[in-house]
Amino acid sequence: MSNFKSFLVILSSIFLISCVNGNIDLTKNGKSNYEIVYTGNATESQHKSAEILKNYIYKISGADIAIVDESSQSADIYKIYIGNVNDEKLNPHQLSIQLKDKNIFIDGGSDKAIQNAVYIFIEEFLGVKWYSPTVEKIPLTKTITLPNTINYNYEPEITTRTVHSRLFYKNHEFANRLKVTKEAFPTYVPKARVHTFHRFIPEEKFYKQHPEYFALRGDKRLPTQLCLTNNNVYNIVKDSIASLFAKNPIANVVSVSQDDNTQYCQCENCAKIDKEEGSPAGSMIRFVNKIAENFPDKQISTLAYQHTRKPSKTKPRENVLITLCSIECDRSAPITEKCNDFAEDLIGWSKLTDNIRIWDYTTQFTNFLAPFPNIKTLQPNIQLFRDNNAKWIFEQHSNNPSELFELRSYITAKLLWNPDLNVDDLITEFTNGYYEEAGVYVKKYVDLIHAELEKHPDFFLFLYGDPSQAFDSYLSPELLETYKGYFDDAEKAVASKPEVLKRIKEARLSTDYAILEAAKKDLTTEFSLVTEVKEKRANPFIQEKLENFYSTCKNANITLMNEMGFTVEEYYHSYKKTIEVAVKPNIAKGKKVTLLTKPKKYANEDPQTLTDGALGGNNFYANWLGFEGNDLVAVIDLDSVQSISSISTAFLQVTNHIVFFPKEVTYYGSIDGKSYMAIGEVKNQSPLKKNSKVNDIQYFNLKVKPTEVRFVKIHANSHKNAPYWHHGAGLPSWIFADEIIID
């Protein structure tokens, strides 16, 4: 380092840079009196960081600054030092940017911190902004002026920052620029990241011969979870982990975690531990601690999720990582306001361990493209995690595009780096930068929809909800018209800029989707599936809206509607089918429905849901009448004896939520409402299997020769319970029915 010090003495007497109004010129008229210097022991990463800085200075000013090592540096020009020149003792995540005697020192406690420092310098001092992998704003100026007092020191409190967005996973440089991870589970063994019980001891291999390895539920062993007090289970899991680490020597973490259900073991031994510990997390932590003893140089991750979220009394070992999940929380307000039990659990775990990984959620998984006004909750939630020892935060966005995808990805990444930034300023900066002249209208939309949600403090903004829940609040027809107007104005503002116009069309997808879903409920004359001015026909406004929605998604490579794998292509064709159903003649519309079995919870348990003319979407909140653990038996009174030739009923399937198509549907007819004759039976065309489509709608259609009836009875035969191989084994299953069409 002696060479560096002698150069600094020489440079202190040089005055080649103009100094005006207390500033210095890094470049002037496309030239520079600076060179970039790296130390003799610089790593490949530090070389790359130097190249990154050089390239951006060139992009901005046209100045081609040389990169040299310490033995080749010039004596007559100033320096930008990349790496540790002054023997500073920085922590691994700490970074420093200093200006001394007109020389710039960019340093960090690790290669990653040095890279972060370079990007901070480029963004904060050179004015470059990165809004998406393809949209960066570079100020073009031949002269780059810097303040003559730069003294930037920062150490992020959240040290592992993940935003679950393909913008980062598929564009590693963009992830580096926003200082988040390039994958969801860095340093994890690839095949053991989360919900791993079934991977260690698969039901297909072990259940028939060794049911005792699995959870006791009531009086039966079911392959929903593992029995954590069975010693053979421990040995199999331990050996499996040893094998995984042997095959993945670079990996540092394996997840030993429950499968995605709450059907945990209630055998005598497991139940005793859980009672002693005050939580089902007790048997989990004792099991994981025992596993972790075998791998002291590695980390064993486990979930504090659903039934294991409440802290145990036993402390996790130092090499056990607690992944605490906030899946149940209302997203309409900060966790501290509307999810106090989670906040208490976080505080409880933080008293037991400093080794906490937060798994938070930021989108609506049942409707990626739906409006989801939770942006204002991101900061207080991240601050809560930060304040309670969380050094590792995983924000589960949709990975695939969702509402305002680029904006959400950007803001979340920024807040993970610095939880105390001004969120409104971030939104304004992004909307103006990414949407340019149209940004003011996108900002109006963001502000208004959040303000409207705040007017309804009792609204539960749910990760597994549906736009239909908000049609009397922040998605009312009047507000949808307003949002539509904002985006219409936004399109006009950038009509001559095709690339920016494309971004606006993608930004308005959520509003357009809400309008399409509102039309299924026939909310207004405009927001309806059919028009009946002269004759009943499809509403051309909705048809156009559907086509625009579909084409925008295709052009943007947006393929998924929800986490269940329901595609945009399927939504498009399903919606067209819905329009076909809506325009059909239906003598059952508005007719009285009498239920002979009891519905539960959904659609206000209103039997008239089956004949109200509103059509359900692909989520059970959207106008579906639900029956849990029992059949649907309903009678429709047509008011008079009529000749019918077809009957149809729609049913929903969402297998991960234990919603299955009925096994079969039988239709009956009656003249007097007392004596019924079978008209016909319709079998399920897609019988339930392990690989059944997760999210689907099936129409149980029956065509018959003309038959005189006044009363029509429908009997949908439920599975009653989830099959043994399903994660909900032992729980009652649902059937959901929608409009009954009779002609």
Side-chain angles (χ1 to χ4, degrees):
M1 292 296 175
S2 59
N3 287 341
F4 279 102
K5 292 176 181 176
S6 62
F7 272 111
L8 294 181
V9 172
I10 295 170
L11 288 170
S12 64
S13 63
I14 299 174
F15 193 77
L16 297 176
I17 301 176
S18 64
C19 185
V20 181
N21 298 324
N23 296 327
I24 62 171
D25 291 335
L26 176 60
T27 67
K28 188 171 184 178
N29 298 324
K31 304 292 183 181
S32 180
N33 282 323
Y34 276 88
E35 64 185 4
I36 299 171
V37 183
Y38 56 83
T39 61
N41 60 353
T43 64
E44 182 180 346
S45 174
Q46 290 172 25
H47 279 276
K48 183 177 179 182
S49 292
E51 289 284 353
I52 289 168
L53 179 57
K54 170 187 171 73
N55 291 339
Y56 273 101
I57 292 173
Y58 180 78
K59 287 180 181 180
I60 294 168
S61 67
D64 190 6
I65 294 182
I67 299 176
V68 300
D69 64 22
E70 60 181 299
S71 62
S72 305
Q73 58 186 314
S74 305
D76 57 347
I77 61 176
Y78 290 96
K79 314 295 180 186
I80 305 174
Y81 291 107
I82 304 294
N84 194 340
V85 175
N86 295 318
D87 295 321
E88 283 186 284
K89 301 300 181 184
L90 300 178
N91 296 325
H93 300 281
Q94 188 177 3
L95 55 91
S96 171
I97 306 172
Q98 306 292 325
L99 180 68
K100 298 175 183 177
D101 297 323
K102 301 185 180 67
N103 298 295
I104 301 166
F105 299 81
I106 301 177
D107 193 12
S110 63
D111 282 356
K112 189 66 177 178
I114 291 171
Q115 181 189 78
N116 289 339
V118 166
Y119 279 123
I120 286 289
F121 182 77
I122 293 169
E123 185 172 19
E124 297 296 326
F125 298 103
L126 303 187
V128 176
K129 298 295 180 184
W130 301 286
Y131 297 119
S132 79
T134 58
V135 180
E136 66 178 3
K137 298 296 181 179
I138 299 177
L140 301 179
T141 175
K142 294 290 184 180
T143 299
I144 300 174
T145 302
L146 300 175
N148 67 355
T149 54
I150 297 176
N151 183 17
Y152 185 98
N153 290 278
Y154 188 68
E155 185 172 7
E157 295 173 277
I158 301 163
T159 55
T160 305
R161 302 167 296 275
T162 302
V163 181
H164 191 55
S165 164
R166 77 182 190 190
L167 295 180
F168 301 120
Y169 297 161
K170 292 188 175 182
N171 303 279
H172 291 180
E173 283 304 312
F174 185 56
N176 289 337
R177 291 164 186 164
L178 268 66
K179 296 171 284 295
V180 294
T181 66
K182 299 183 280 288
E183 55 182 312
F185 297 88
T187 76
Y188 272 67
V189 169
K191 292 185 178 179
R193 291 171 169 171
V194 70
H195 300 313
T196 55
F197 279 3
H198 70 283
R199 296 183 183 276
F200 295 133
I201 304 183
E203 167 263 318
E204 298 89 344
K205 183 176 179 180
F206 289 97
Y207 180 60
K208 288 186 178 180
Q209 288 188 317
H210 294 285
E212 71 276 9
Y213 291 177
F214 298 92
L216 182 69
R217 301 295 298 180
D219 59 356
K220 188 175 182 180
R221 295 278 180 176
L222 294 172
T224 51
Q225 302 286 0
L226 299 180
C227 178
L228 299 179
T229 54
N230 185 297
N231 198 53
N232 288 334
V233 168
Y234 162 74
N235 286 322
I236 293 170
V237 172
K238 179 189 68 173
D239 292 345
S240 297
I241 292 171
S243 176
L244 287 170
F245 278 135
K247 293 176 182 177
N248 301 273
I250 298 176
N252 189 52
V253 189
V254 160
S255 176
V256 178
S257 55
Q258 69 219 48
D259 288 326
D260 199 0
N261 65 78
T262 58
Q263 303 293 88
Y264 58 92
C265 186
Q266 296 176 325
C267 75
E268 182 178 352
N269 291 334
C270 289
K272 180 182 178 183
I273 293 173
D274 292 343
K275 184 176 181 181
E276 291 172 359
E277 295 276 353
S279 166
S283 53
M284 180 70 74
I285 294 302
R286 290 194 192 183
F287 181 81
V288 170
N289 277 351
K290 190 177 176 183
I291 291 288
E293 288 177 12
N294 300 280
F295 308 97
D297 298 328
K298 299 290 188 179
Q299 202 167 39
I300 304 300
S301 171
T302 195
L303 292 174
Y305 171 69
Q306 295 184 331
H307 63 279
T308 59
R309 202 186 74 187
K310 183 180 177 182
S312 62
K313 293 177 182 177
T314 296
K315 288 174 64 78
R317 283 176 55 90
E318 288 186 4
N319 65 325
V320 169
L321 175 65
I322 299 298
T323 300
L324 179 62
C325 308
S326 61
I327 195 167
E328 302 90 348
C329 291
D330 181 351
R331 301 291 154 171
S332 67
I335 284 172
T336 51
E337 294 180 23
K338 284 200 167 184
C339 199
N340 286 329
D341 53 347
F342 175 85
E344 291 172 3
D345 289 343
L346 171 59
I347 292 168
W349 283 110
S350 70
K351 291 177 180 177
L352 292 174
T353 179
D354 291 332
N355 212 2
I356 295 175
R357 177 177 184 253
I358 295 294
W359 188 313
D360 192 33
Y361 306 81
T362 63
T363 194
Q364 190 167 78
F365 297 116
T366 42
N367 295 278
F368 287 160
L369 299 174
F372 195 66
N374 71 324
I375 292 176
K376 302 296 177 72
T377 71
L378 298 177
Q379 181 176 53
N381 290 348
I382 290 173
Q383 289 173 333
L384 171 69
F385 307 148
R386 183 262 322 261
D387 294 343
N388 285 277
N389 296 343
K391 304 297 183 188
W392 186 335
I393 296 180
F394 173 76
E395 291 289 355
Q396 188 178 358
H397 202 48
S398 50
N399 186 16
N400 295 279
S402 60
E403 184 207 24
L404 298 173
F405 190 49
E406 292 80 10
L407 170 65
R408 289 175 176 277
S409 299
Y410 180 84
I411 289 175
T412 309
K414 287 285 188 180
L415 290 174
L416 288 175
W417 176 252
N418 182 356
D420 300 319
L421 293 172
N422 185 298
V423 175
D424 193 66
D425 288 349
L426 281 177
I427 297 172
T428 301
E429 175 203 308
F430 183 91
T431 51
N432 288 343
Y434 188 71
Y435 299 112
E436 300 185 7
E437 294 89 346
V440 62
Y441 301 107
V442 180
K443 179 68 161 51
K444 281 184 177 182
Y445 163 74
V446 172
D447 288 343
L448 180 58
I449 195 169
H450 284 82
E452 289 297 328
L453 174 60
E454 289 177 7
K455 293 178 181 179
H456 301 272
D458 294 331
F459 189 92
F460 192 107
L461 189 62
F462 192 32
L463 300 172
Y464 293 96
D466 190 81
S468 63
Q469 296 171 285
F471 288 148
D472 58 356
S473 57
Y474 64 86
L475 294 180
S476 68
E478 296 77 18
L479 286 169
L480 287 175
E481 285 281 7
T482 301
Y483 305 151
K484 174 180 172 293
Y486 287 159
F487 284 109
D488 288 344
D489 290 341
E491 287 196 16
K492 292 174 187 175
V494 292
S496 62
K497 296 183 173 181
E499 282 301 315
V500 185
L501 179 61
K502 180 176 181 291
R503 293 172 211 160
I504 289 297
K505 288 181 179 295
E506 292 168 22
R508 76 177 301 160
L509 283 172
S510 59
T511 292
D512 289 350
Y513 174 64
I515 289 172
L516 288 170
E517 292 302 291
K520 292 179 180 179
K521 294 183 72 70
D522 197 24
L523 292 186
T524 66
T525 301
E526 184 175 28
F527 299 160
S528 63
L529 293 174
V530 298
T531 59
E532 299 189 47
V533 178
K534 294 182 179 179
E535 61 179 357
K536 191 175 183 180
R537 63 186 182 91
N539 184 346
F541 168 73
I542 292 299
Q543 287 181 308
E544 182 182 12
K545 188 66 65 180
L546 177 64
E547 295 300 329
N548 289 340
F549 179 87
Y550 180 57
S551 63
T552 298
C553 287
K554 288 191 73 173
N555 291 337
N557 193 28
I558 298 172
T559 59
L560 286 177
M561 298 295 297
N562 60 33
E563 72 168 359
M564 286 86 78
F566 186 59
T567 68
V568 170
E569 190 78 22
E570 289 169 327
Y571 177 78
Y572 172 69
H573 292 291
S574 174
Y575 203 100
K576 294 187 80 171
K577 175 67 176 177
T578 299
I579 293 174
E580 289 177 15
V581 170
V583 299
K584 283 183 177 180
N586 183 15
I587 60 175
K589 183 177 180 180
K591 297 299 191 289
K592 181 182 177 182
V593 178
T594 301
L595 295 178
L596 305 182
T597 51
K598 186 171 177 54
K600 185 174 180 179
K601 186 178 178 180
Y602 297 94
N604 296 318
E605 300 181 5
D606 181 4
Q608 296 309 126
T609 300
L610 298 177
T611 59
D612 63 1
L615 302 179
N618 284 82
N619 183 292
F620 39 78
Y621 284 101
N623 214 68
W624 294 94
L625 195 63
F627 297 79
E628 185 186 33
N630 62 335
D631 296 344
L632 157 64
V633 184
V635 174
I636 298 92
D637 183 354
L638 300 177
D639 290 337
S640 61
V641 175
Q642 301 191 47
S643 177
I644 67 170
S645 57
S646 68
I647 311 172
S648 175
T649 311
F651 288 89
L652 177 69
Q653 180 160 280
V654 190
T655 61
N656 59 328
H657 288 284
I658 326 180
V659 178
F660 308 137
F661 292 140
K663 294 179 180 179
E664 65 272 332
V665 176
T666 306
Y667 296 108
Y668 301 86
S670 173
I671 298 293
D672 57 10
K674 298 177 182 178
S675 177
Y676 284 86
M677 57 175 284
I679 299 175
E681 180 183 271
V682 182
K683 293 284 187 182
N684 178 5
Q685 297 302 305
S686 303
L688 184 63
K689 301 175 183 177
K690 273 190 176 183
N691 61 350
S692 286
K693 196 172 178 182
V694 176
N695 194 190
D696 200 8
I697 293 173
Q698 185 177 156
Y699 294 88
F700 284 68
N701 300 321
L702 177 69
K703 289 190 176 295
V704 296
K705 63 181 181 181
T707 304
E708 299 286 319
V709 298
R710 172 177 171 174
F711 299 93
V712 175
K713 181 191 291 185
I714 171 176
H715 186 153
N717 187 7
S718 167
H719 286 267
K720 306 296 193 300
N721 296 98
Y724 83 91
W725 46 260
H726 191 273
H727 66 75
L731 296 177
S733 62
W734 289 79
I735 55 173
F736 280 90
D738 183 27
E739 204 71 4
I740 297 173
I741 309 291
I742 302 175
D743 184 26

